[in-house]
Amino acid sequence: MRTIYGLISFLSIFALISCKDKPDKKSDSPPMKKKEVVYQVFTRLFGNTNTTNKPWGTIQENGVGKFADFSDKALSEIKGLGVTHIWYTGVPHHAVINDYTAYGISNDDPDVVKGRAGSPYAVKDYYNVNPDLAIDPSKRLEEFKQLIQRTHNAGLKVIIDIVPNHVARNYEGKTNPEGVEDFGASDDTSKEYDVNNNFYYIPGEAFQVPKWEDGYLPLGGDENRLADSKFEEIPAKWTGNGSRLAQPRFNDWYETVKINYGIRPDGTKDFDELPEAYLQKNYKDHYEFWKDKTLPDSWHKFKDITEYWLGFGVDGFRFDMAEMVPVEFWSYLNSNIKMINPDAFLLAEVYNPSLYRDYIHKGKMDYLYDKVELYDSIKHIMKGYGWTDHIPVVQKGMADIEHHMLHFLENHDEQRIASPDFVGNAQLGKPAMVVSATISTSPTMIYFGQEVGEPGAEEAGFGKPTRTSIFDYIGVPHHQRWVNNKEFDGGQLSDEEKKLRDFYKRLLNFTINSEALMGEYQEIHFYNKDNTEGYDHRVLSFVRWSENEKLIVVSNFDVHNQYNFNLKVPEDVVSKWQLSDGEYNLDEALYGEVQKTLNIINGQGQIQVELEPLQSYIFNVKE
């Protein structure tokens, strides 16, 4: 063995000498992978410039955005924000209260539609797109394909929703490709369950519309001939959230029906389970495992759907409520997706931390929401009662899967930062955003309008303010000021909103270009709590590094207090960085206005830091 190693060493030295002799030859090693940033945009709201905002307003009254609104200019500005992927939310054709019968689309019943524009998670036709989004609904697929091309031309990748747990109560696949059978078309409706039924049934009972509560009326009480508290469904199906009542409750997902993946009503499985060894195997092994297995019909249907959209040019998917679907199905689906596109971006909504590793390793998910751990911790700190001490603890607990836990501060399910029910001030999101975007190697996600402080204050109809409505036609005021009559130049933004967007632009662009943020992490927070006078639980600090970049991140979460302390870089970090005693200049990566020095004395680093309220620094050590 030593002889072999000696030969390898000799060849390595020879190769290095050869490289020096040929300076023009490019390295064969692939470029280092960088951070990714997802821009979630609610597609129907993005380009809407109508400011009427009438509660329960019609599409004519309140307006709607279109695919065409994502112009080359708009996409260029999104790319310039520091974005790598766009998640176009609400693209698949879902139930809407609009008359598209002229285009061969049946009218939807307000008794089983939430809002007037409908929930994007009650998909009515998986092989088509929302007709509201097209200038010409008869050409809506063509218009979406053009949007995909424009997005790719802008250097961005496209993500869309797939909602495998449920479909709209009135699902109707009018545009299925040849040979694709509709959901439920061959179901045996006399049985509650059959392995190849797409739905679960309640034999002998008809569906009944829920009893409305708290003064709710479909469409806010506006007249509609279908709004009669009746919807024909015989026999009744199980509701999307698993309710087995023929008359689901008002807070159930009554507008949807649950998909059957071969889980019997008693919870046992009607398909092969993955051996534990597959936790360590790659997607190709998972693909081979399922190739010769007999699988429930619903598995094949969703595989066909994702393959259709991959063929359309989509680069990845966000999977809604993935934990409500068996992990074995995800192994099957995602391994099939990766065999077509190994670089497909697969993001899942999973909220149970005990399931994270199963859905990553067994289910072959690329990324899961880091909602219950990091987001909830940061939210508590932003609201004033949480301690920054919890963040390093969360990161330590996620160390083995940190790359897979996507970070965010806003999305369509969560309250807007600037909403009074969250913190009421978008500025409080700045230290949180720095920490969220730089503490791990995982992707970062922002929600459109977040970068200009959108508060989600509109009374849109279904649901309450604090979240920008996903159910109704509405304008998004702060975002509309950036849209500026489709100039997409921020021409109507206030100075404060412009500065906030500039902050996001600086931060996100730094993250996607930093090598260190794909490298090592170590918290220095507790060391400073123990050794630094004036440092406390409203401040957070950590270090990130790679071979060519060394970063020190420090953030002040306090909205009132200024901090002045001598930040310490522990001896073990200095040793790992191979720095000698002496002075090292620091570049500040966000604004570059602060000139600081890292002084290393007896192996310990020290930086004199003054932090204004809500201020953060990202120091880059210059050697």
Side-chain angles (χ1 to χ4, degrees):
M1 292 295 289
R2 287 181 182 175
T3 305
I4 294 172
Y5 287 139
L7 177 60
I8 291 171
S9 298
F10 172 78
L11 292 173
S12 299
I13 294 167
F14 180 78
L16 286 170
I17 295 169
S18 299
C19 285
K20 288 181 180 179
D21 290 339
K22 299 175 183 178
D24 294 328
K25 185 175 179 180
K26 293 182 180 178
S27 170
D28 291 330
S29 60
M32 185 173 182
K33 193 171 175 65
K34 301 291 179 66
K35 289 266 282 189
E36 295 170 314
V37 173
V38 179
Y39 188 77
Q40 183 194 1
V41 57
F42 207 85
T43 314
R44 84 159 92 95
L45 301 181
F46 177 81
N48 182 21
T49 56
N50 186 311
T51 59
T52 303
N53 283 359
K54 174 185 173 183
W56 294 101
T58 66
I59 194 170
Q60 292 79 17
E61 291 170 324
N62 282 359
V64 70
K66 304 288 184 182
F67 291 134
D69 293 328
F70 293 89
S71 64
D72 291 339
K73 166 67 171 168
L75 291 167
S76 173
E77 289 296 322
I78 293 170
K79 167 81 170 173
L81 190 60
V83 171
T84 60
H85 295 66
I86 299 186
W87 165 17
Y88 289 113
T89 305
V91 165
H93 182 184
H94 58 79
V96 302
I97 306 303
N98 258 328
D99 188 347
Y100 289 111
T101 53
Y103 303 96
I105 300 169
S106 63
N107 283 325
D108 292 307
D109 189 326
D111 293 307
V112 288
V113 176
K114 289 180 177 174
R116 190 181 288 276
S119 167
Y121 299 106
V123 175
K124 177 176 178 171
D125 184 349
Y126 257 118
Y127 288 100
N128 220 310
V129 296
N130 181 0
D132 280 350
L133 302 176
I135 295 171
D136 180 351
S138 70
K139 296 180 179 178
R140 56 196 185 278
L141 277 172
E142 294 173 42
E143 291 188 31
F144 181 52
K145 195 156 198 171
Q146 290 164 3
L147 172 58
I148 293 174
Q149 189 59 57
R150 288 196 304 277
T151 306
H152 287 164
N153 290 345
L156 296 161
K157 293 189 175 180
V158 173
I159 300 167
I160 65 168
D161 296 279
I162 297 289
V163 190
N165 178 67
H166 48 271
V167 295
R169 191 134 230 141
N170 54 336
Y171 190 93
E172 197 173 52
K174 286 291 186 72
T175 56
N176 293 350
E178 187 176 350
V180 172
E181 187 179 70
D182 217 1
F183 282 99
S186 295
D187 282 8
D188 182 349
T189 62
S190 68
K191 298 178 180 178
E192 180 181 30
Y193 167 84
D194 184 277
V195 66
N196 286 314
N197 277 359
N198 298 134
F199 304 123
Y200 298 91
Y201 295 90
I202 309 169
E205 293 192 57
F207 172 78
Q208 296 179 62
V209 170
K211 293 179 180 177
W212 309 130
E213 298 177 8
D214 303 322
Y216 172 82
L217 289 173
L219 307 183
D222 283 2
E223 188 175 331
N224 183 294
R225 66 179 184 83
L226 294 176
D228 55 4
S229 294
K230 296 176 184 177
F231 180 78
E232 186 173 330
E233 181 182 284
I234 303 173
K237 302 180 182 80
W238 287 16
T239 292
N241 63 321
S243 171
R244 306 183 188 189
L245 300 173
Q247 185 177 33
R249 296 184 175 89
F250 179 55
N251 289 321
D252 287 330
W253 303 348
Y254 61 82
E255 79 280 22
T256 65
V257 290
K258 187 166 179 64
I259 296 291
N260 165 24
Y261 283 93
I263 300 287
R264 302 182 190 98
D266 65 3
T268 57
K269 297 175 179 179
D270 224 347
F271 48 81
D272 290 273
E273 294 194 51
L274 272 171
E276 284 300 307
Y278 277 78
L279 279 164
Q280 308 303 325
K281 293 183 181 289
N282 63 29
Y283 70 83
K284 293 178 182 177
D285 294 322
H286 282 241
Y287 174 81
E288 290 297 326
F289 176 84
W290 295 111
K291 265 175 64 174
D292 61 351
K293 303 294 188 294
T294 300
L295 301 172
D297 183 71
S298 297
W299 292 37
H300 298 296
K301 279 191 164 56
F302 271 96
K303 177 180 77 73
D304 291 343
I305 288 164
T306 54
E307 287 184 358
Y308 172 82
W309 289 112
L310 288 170
F312 213 78
V314 165
D315 302 295
F317 304 103
R318 181 268 190 185
F319 297 122
D320 185 76
M321 294 308 298
E323 68 190 85
M324 297 181 76
V325 177
V327 71
E328 291 85 355
F329 164 75
W330 293 115
S331 164
Y332 165 77
L333 181 72
N334 289 339
S335 62
N336 273 274
I337 290 171
K338 291 289 188 178
M339 291 298 290
I340 296 169
N341 179 4
D343 297 321
F345 188 103
L346 305 179
L347 167 64
E349 187 181 26
V350 175
Y351 293 131
N352 184 346
S354 69
L355 297 177
Y356 287 170
R357 288 160 183 83
D358 269 359
Y359 278 76
I360 291 166
H361 300 307
K362 278 189 177 179
K364 310 318 286 179
M365 294 294 182
D366 292 325
Y367 308 112
L368 310 179
Y369 281 13
D370 198 345
K371 195 279 186 199
V372 175
E373 299 284 2
L374 186 73
Y375 169 84
D376 284 351
S377 299
I378 286 182
K379 185 172 184 178
H380 296 161
I381 296 163
M382 292 168 69
K383 289 175 78 68
Y385 51 79
W387 286 30
T388 54
D389 297 24
H390 196 54
I391 293 177
V393 175
V394 164
Q395 283 305 108
K396 185 176 181 181
M398 293 287 179
D400 60 317
I401 56 170
E402 60 86 27
H403 178 67
H404 301 281
M405 302 307 298
L406 174 135
H407 291 176
F408 63 89
L409 295 182
E410 286 190 1
N411 63 45
H412 69 277
D413 285 319
E414 306 299 339
Q415 294 172 324
R416 292 286 196 176
I417 295 167
S419 156
D421 286 22
F422 193 157
V423 290
N425 180 354
Q427 300 299 317
L428 271 72
K430 291 168 79 172
M433 195 66 214
V434 169
V435 170
S436 178
T438 62
I439 200 168
S440 81
T441 67
S442 67
T444 304
M445 184 171 77
I446 69 167
Y447 189 36
F448 86 113
Q450 176 182 343
E451 70 275 26
V452 292
E454 181 59 48
E458 295 69 46
E459 289 277 1
F462 189 91
K464 300 295 182 187
T466 76
R467 298 165 178 83
T468 296
S469 175
I470 66 170
F471 303 107
D472 284 285
Y473 301 111
I474 203 73
V476 186
H478 290 232
H479 169 71
Q480 286 175 320
R481 293 202 281 276
W482 173 77
V483 170
N484 189 25
N485 295 317
K486 304 189 184 180
E487 294 294 326
F488 304 105
D489 61 2
Q492 298 178 36
L493 293 175
S494 68
D495 287 344
E496 186 175 277
E497 290 162 352
K498 288 177 181 176
K499 288 177 183 176
L500 183 64
R501 192 176 191 278
D502 177 66
F503 160 79
Y504 275 89
K505 186 173 184 177
R506 290 170 181 269
L507 173 63
L508 296 177
N509 275 285
F510 171 75
T511 67
I512 63 172
N513 288 297
S514 169
E515 284 189 9
L517 296 186
M518 295 303 288
E520 301 298 320
Y521 156 83
Q522 185 170 323
E523 62 90 4
I524 59 173
H525 173 73
F526 289 115
Y527 185 92
N528 277 279
K529 278 199 77 178
D530 291 341
N531 295 284
T532 300
E533 185 178 353
Y535 183 106
D536 64 22
H537 62 274
R538 297 296 291 163
V539 182
L540 183 72
S541 57
F542 52 89
V543 293
R544 302 296 314 275
W545 73 94
S546 64
E547 184 179 351
N548 300 310
E549 189 178 31
K550 300 172 180 66
L551 304 177
I552 302 161
V553 182
V554 56
S555 288
N556 177 9
F557 281 82
D558 202 278
V559 71
H560 300 297
N561 293 323
Q562 183 186 49
Y563 284 82
N564 190 328
F565 48 72
N566 195 9
L567 185 75
K568 309 295 192 302
V569 179
E571 291 89 339
D572 63 330
V573 173
V574 172
S575 175
K576 289 171 185 175
W577 287 0
Q578 299 181 347
L579 298 180
S580 305
D581 282 8
E583 291 188 355
Y584 298 83
N585 290 328
L586 300 175
D587 286 346
E588 202 288 304
L590 288 179
Y591 292 95
E593 298 170 353
V594 177
Q595 299 299 315
K596 291 290 180 183
T597 301
L598 170 64
N599 294 299
I600 299 179
I601 304 169
N602 297 325
Q604 183 199 66
Q606 300 182 13
I607 310 165
Q608 190 62 40
V609 173
E610 302 84 30
L611 283 168
E612 295 296 323
L614 305 177
Q615 188 173 30
S616 298
Y617 292 130
I618 302 174
F619 293 123
N620 191 342
V621 181
K622 309 308 290 183
E623 295 182 60

